[in-house]
Amino acid sequence: MAFTQKPLPYAENALEPNIDAQTMNIHFNKHHVAYITNLNAALAGTEAENDSIEDICKNIVKFPVAVRNNGGGHFNHTFFWKIMTPNGGGIPTGEVAAAIDKAFGSFDKFKEEFSKAATTRFGSGWAWLCVKQGGEVAVCSTANQDNPLMEIDGAKCGTPILALDVWEHAYYLKYQNKRVDYVAAFFNVINWNKVAELYAKGK
Ligand code: MN3
């Protein structure tokens, strides 16, 4: 069973002006598709061909680098599309909001920490909010297409509940070198309902 791409849950221009339609089009149809194509090629004929993408990420140390890069790319982008929405932004409510307040002191402090992780990630990578067993949340960042499901240097941040792609391909057409503006705009499209759902499942 080869991996396939699920349709984007909104129109390519639906996140304008925060994420422009041209970037969304190329990111979804070219970058994400290439990760899937390369992942399928790397797994073809191997024992892991029918594994879930989550299991592949969790066992990434057993795989060659092509699976790490493209498997991470597939998981991360699938995740990224669903934690954004045209009616997003604002502030979270309920359990996940309480966990954020507990960990960071306030939503604004969390926003500061997450934005710092996203803007200071050198080169290409991702910023994450994760939940550990017990419900505690934490911010981290990963290089390239790595993600918190992977055992990286023995350290794991937890189960991802929010992610931001800070590869230049994710923002350069609209924001050029101003990653900080892209990170700020991302907060206008976060799907907090989805984050709350992932928190409830992952805690
Ligand atoms: Mn990307």
Side-chain angles (χ1 to χ4, degrees):
M1 276 294 287
F3 289 107
T4 55
Q5 190 180 40
K6 288 202 178 107
L8 199 61
Y10 35 78
E12 281 170 4
N13 65 359
L15 304 183
E16 289 266 15
N18 300 289
I19 311 279
D20 62 290
Q22 190 188 13
T23 295
M24 187 56 89
N25 179 300
I26 297 169
H27 203 177
F28 184 77
N29 294 304
K30 304 294 181 196
H31 291 276
H32 187 189
V33 167
Y35 292 122
I36 296 171
T37 303
N38 294 332
L39 174 64
N40 287 334
L43 289 174
T46 72
E47 269 178 13
E49 218 175 5
N50 296 311
D51 287 1
S52 72
I53 191 62
E54 288 79 9
D55 283 345
I56 288 171
C57 289
K58 285 175 185 166
N59 294 295
I60 206 66
V61 291
K62 297 180 188 161
F63 291 95
V65 68
V67 173
R68 178 170 175 165
N69 291 340
N70 295 293
H74 178 42
F75 175 87
N76 296 351
H77 287 87
T78 303
F79 188 93
F80 188 44
W81 312 136
K82 73 184 175 191
I83 54 89
M84 296 189 288
T85 178
N87 305 308
I91 56 168
T93 55
E95 269 193 318
V96 70
I100 285 172
D101 286 346
K102 196 175 167 200
F104 302 98
S106 66
F107 178 76
D108 285 345
K109 283 281 176 205
F110 152 72
K111 190 172 173 181
E112 217 172 275
E113 280 297 308
F114 186 87
S115 301
K116 195 171 102 188
T119 51
T120 60
R121 162 53 56 192
F122 186 76
S124 298
W126 292 74
W128 304 89
L129 178 68
C130 293
V131 60
K132 299 173 200 290
Q133 266 186 352
E136 189 191 334
V137 291
V139 161
C140 70
S141 81
T142 55
N144 303 317
Q145 294 297 352
D146 287 352
N147 65 51
L149 297 180
M150 299 176 178
E151 292 275 5
I152 304 157
D153 300 331
K156 287 171 80 175
C157 178
T159 303
I161 61 172
L162 180 68
L164 177 57
D165 188 343
V166 294
W167 282 57
E168 285 188 345
H169 70 225
Y171 63 87
Y172 210 85
L173 291 177
K174 181 177 170 82
Y175 295 97
Q176 294 84 46
N177 60 318
K178 299 182 286 291
R179 187 191 285 187
V180 66
D181 291 355
Y182 160 68
V183 172
F186 170 69
F187 275 86
N188 297 327
V189 295
I190 294 176
N191 185 347
W192 286 112
N193 290 335
K194 180 50 95 177
V195 176
E197 190 187 309
L198 292 166
Y199 177 84
K201 232 191 289 179
K203 71 176 179 174

